Amino acid sequence: MKTRRERAQTVLLCAVLVLAFAFDRACLFRYALLAAVLHEAGHIVAFLLLCRRMPRLRFGVTGIAMNIDGERLSLRREVLLLLAGPLTNFIVAGMTFGIVLTHASYGGYFFACENLLMGLFNLLPIGMLDGGRLLENLIGPGAALISLASVAGLCLTVGILLYYYGAASLAGLIYGLILLFLALRVLRG
């Protein structure tokens, strides 16, 4: 049974999706959403291969998350599971770049870049992302919190500078604020 907060997050996610699709004339949001779905599909396929069962999925404002219901994974298996999503994005990006070399299109370039960025973003050493969980598994929980604050501050600073000097759109500032929000949320516990 979903809690009140989970229901509110689901409604908010649906509202954001409706607005994004309504104002996405260039189909860029659709490419980003497909890259996110492919990322999660990589994790799901890896989980199916490692555990022989389907994980439960949670949909929220921050994205899709797998709930593995207390499944005990060895360090090696968890690392494989965490790397499966970014690796899927990198493979799709490489394949798309290969196709775009012979059949050039802006949509193809954007889709390839979106997959590349999705994989790189998820490897950031931030607690809730794949990179943060990898860092916690390999080094320990303290290292992820220190790197989280550093990465969030750096991204916010770069986002503000890029926005100020006109080298990036408002998206850079928004990504920096999202990272700051994630950092504060994790540091609060």
Side-chain angles (χ1 to χ4, degrees), residues 20-180:
F21 280 121
F23 294 104
D24 185 28
R25 295 176 193 243
C27 297
L28 301 181
F29 178 75
R30 292 176 180 116
Y31 293 136
L33 187 60
L34 181 57
V37 168
L38 288 170
H39 177 91
E40 293 305 326
H43 288 304
I44 292 168
V45 168
F47 188 82
L48 284 169
L49 292 172
L50 293 170
C51 299
R52 309 273 189 247
R53 69 179 180 86
M54 184 72 176
R56 282 187 11 186
L57 299 177
R58 266 184 305 140
F59 298 88
V61 178
T62 57
I64 304 168
M66 283 190 347
N67 186 356
I68 58 174
D69 295 326
E71 182 80 32
R72 302 284 298 165
L73 297 173
S74 67
L75 176 63
R76 182 178 158 270
R77 286 181 163 214
E78 189 161 351
V79 166
L80 289 172
L81 181 61
L82 290 169
L83 288 174
L87 183 61
T88 300
N89 287 122
F90 297 145
I91 290 170
V92 170
M95 290 171 41
T96 306
F97 274 126
I99 292 169
V100 168
L101 287 176
T102 58
H103 301 86
S105 74
Y106 288 116
Y109 282 117
F110 182 80
F111 185 62
C113 290
E114 183 60 44
N115 272 286
L116 182 63
L117 291 174
M118 181 73 64
L120 291 172
F121 177 78
N122 275 282
L123 286 176
L124 286 174
I126 296 174
M128 293 176 278
L129 297 176
D130 300 331
R133 297 195 44 216
L134 275 169
L135 193 63
E136 284 183 19
N137 282 334
L138 298 175
I139 297 174
L145 290 177
I146 293 167
S147 66
L148 168 66
S150 302
V151 169
L154 177 66
C155 288
L156 183 61
T157 303
V158 168
I160 290 170
L161 289 173
L162 286 174
Y163 182 69
Y164 178 76
Y165 289 107
S169 66
L170 186 60
L173 181 60
I174 291 172
Y175 280 129
L177 290 172
I178 288 171
L179 286 172
L180 181 63

